[in-house]
Amino acid sequence: MTQRIAWLNEKGGSGKSTSALNLSANLASRFGQRVLLLDVDHQANITAVLTRGKTPKKTLTDVFLNDVPAEQAIFKTHIRNLDLLPADSALADVNVAMADTGSRLGLGRELRLKRALAPVEGNYDFVVVDTGPQRTLLNVNVLNYVDEVFVPIDPGYWSIMGVQHLEKLVEQIRLHMEHATLRIGGVLLTKVQKTNVAKEVEAQVREYFGERVFRSTIPLNVKVEEAHSRGMSVLDYSPESAGAIAYLDFTKEVLFHGNDTEHRVG
Ligand SMILES: Nc1ncnc2c1ncn2[C@@H]1O[C@H](COP(=O)(O)OP(=O)(O)OP(=O)(O)O)[C@@H](O)[C@H]1O
Ligand SMILES: [Mg+2]
């Protein structure tokens, strides 16, 4: 069965795109999982990395605005087993169009992504979704589509506040959109530094979220960022680096242990 995971945190720069990209690339190329990565952010950061700067022919914008079937916008990336449904800056217009309830896109606007992906998702073991930092109708579409949300937290003093807002949003979707099984499946500490603030915030996050916090944490490591500019995962770019080892450990945790010791494969 396909597992659908969205990376979400309304705080900008918390590591959503980096974590979505490295988890997807590792699952696909190291563990033979068939992965579809969805770029649902008009910043299109992941698209830029995986196309190495080339403009994709069709994007998620075409799927929403022009009724292009998702399979026509999906392409195989240079990473084995990893497909991408790319974004472009015009995805911001989709939000505007959906906000007008009288427009063609206003109808059934919260469930458009789910409907668009239904014909293709069976081809994949995992669908991993990257989202933008704003609260948008696109993100409501993402929450209606996925089974679980992974929250990256870059441990600073204000990090916890943002995550509490996110919990309320997930609760609202559960209640009002009849998606009772949606849950925050995991919390990942990212860009972790060896500072007292980071240690204190990590302790707070572990106390608040308990077992939902992944054991693995991702250190702040320059190789992670360099890998983006080479169009690669950090594991392919610099396999011995602290960032690569951390994202590999994290991927194993997702695949083999979940957050509840259940084996996620099969
Ligand atoms: N472990 C890391 N070590 C070093 N740099 C990192 C690490 N993780 C992320 N970064 C860098 O931090 C910046 C923010 O990360 P990223 O883009 O993944 O966050 P985001 O949550 O997707 O941001 P946005 O909210 O804008 O979409 C990027 O420049 C990224 O390359
Ligand atoms: Mg991002």
Side-chain angles (χ1 to χ4, degrees):
M1 220 179 77
T2 311
Q3 294 180 49
R4 299 171 295 199
I5 299 167
W7 285 91
L8 198 75
N9 187 338
E10 291 174 352
K11 188 167 182 300
S14 51
K16 296 177 286 292
S17 303
T18 303
S19 301
L21 176 66
N22 284 287
L23 173 65
S24 301
N26 290 354
L27 284 170
S29 70
R30 302 292 158 137
F31 296 99
Q33 301 293 303
R34 296 164 303 163
V35 183
L36 173 63
L37 184 48
L38 297 184
D39 192 350
V40 190
D41 181 7
H42 70 263
Q43 296 179 97
N45 293 147
I46 287 186
T47 299
V49 171
L50 289 177
T51 58
R52 291 175 163 153
K54 281 195 197 135
T55 310
K57 289 195 185 88
K58 297 258 190 295
T59 68
L60 190 57
T61 306
D62 297 299
V63 174
F64 276 104
L65 289 185
N66 306 325
D67 290 326
V68 167
E71 65 173 327
Q72 287 184 22
I74 291 170
F75 70 89
K76 286 196 182 310
T77 70
H78 59 88
I79 297 172
R80 192 170 63 97
N81 294 328
L82 180 63
D83 289 358
L84 176 72
L85 179 41
D88 62 4
S89 60
L91 205 49
D93 302 336
V94 174
N95 269 307
V96 177
M98 283 196 295
D100 177 0
T101 44
S103 75
R104 189 177 60 83
L105 255 189
L107 289 171
R109 58 187 179 169
E110 290 96 351
L111 297 168
R112 294 242 165 196
L113 185 66
K114 187 173 180 171
R115 297 216 171 94
L117 292 171
V120 295
E121 69 170 23
N123 300 333
Y124 300 98
D125 301 304
F126 284 88
V127 178
V128 177
V129 189
D130 183 31
T131 67
Q134 314 83 1
R135 183 164 306 186
T136 59
L137 279 163
L138 275 174
N139 282 357
V140 171
N141 266 267
V142 170
L143 288 169
N144 273 318
Y145 172 61
V146 298
D147 312 298
E148 59 187 325
V149 172
F150 282 4
V151 185
I153 297 184
D154 167 8
Y157 264 122
W158 289 307
S159 333
I160 283 250
M161 277 161 64
V163 183
Q164 287 165 336
H165 292 306
L166 196 66
E167 276 197 304
K168 284 192 194 127
L169 177 63
V170 168
E171 186 57 35
Q172 281 172 350
I173 299 278
R174 266 206 296 262
L175 279 177
H176 301 299
M177 300 303 304
E178 297 183 10
H179 187 5
T181 54
L182 180 68
R183 62 196 178 104
I184 294 185
V187 175
L188 178 67
L189 289 148
T190 61
K191 299 164 84 172
V192 174
Q193 299 184 66
K194 289 183 178 131
T195 62
N196 288 336
V197 171
K199 276 185 204 138
E200 283 165 28
V201 176
E202 177 170 352
Q204 280 175 26
V205 168
R206 290 195 185 276
E207 190 178 338
Y208 187 81
F209 286 101
E211 290 196 339
R212 285 186 291 175
V213 186
F214 290 104
R215 282 185 299 280
S216 320
T217 62
I218 312 297
L220 188 75
N221 176 213
V222 68
K223 297 292 176 193
V224 173
E225 185 142 38
E226 280 176 19
H228 292 158
S229 66
R230 307 295 196 283
M232 294 165 87
S233 71
V234 65
L235 191 58
D236 285 338
Y237 172 64
S238 179
E240 307 297 325
S241 65
I245 291 165
Y247 270 117
L248 182 60
D249 284 347
F250 166 63
T251 306
K252 289 181 189 162
E253 210 177 320
V254 170
L255 196 53
F256 300 119
H257 305 294
N259 257 350
D260 44 19
T261 65
E262 126 197 338
H263 195 302
R264 284 175 179 253
V265 183

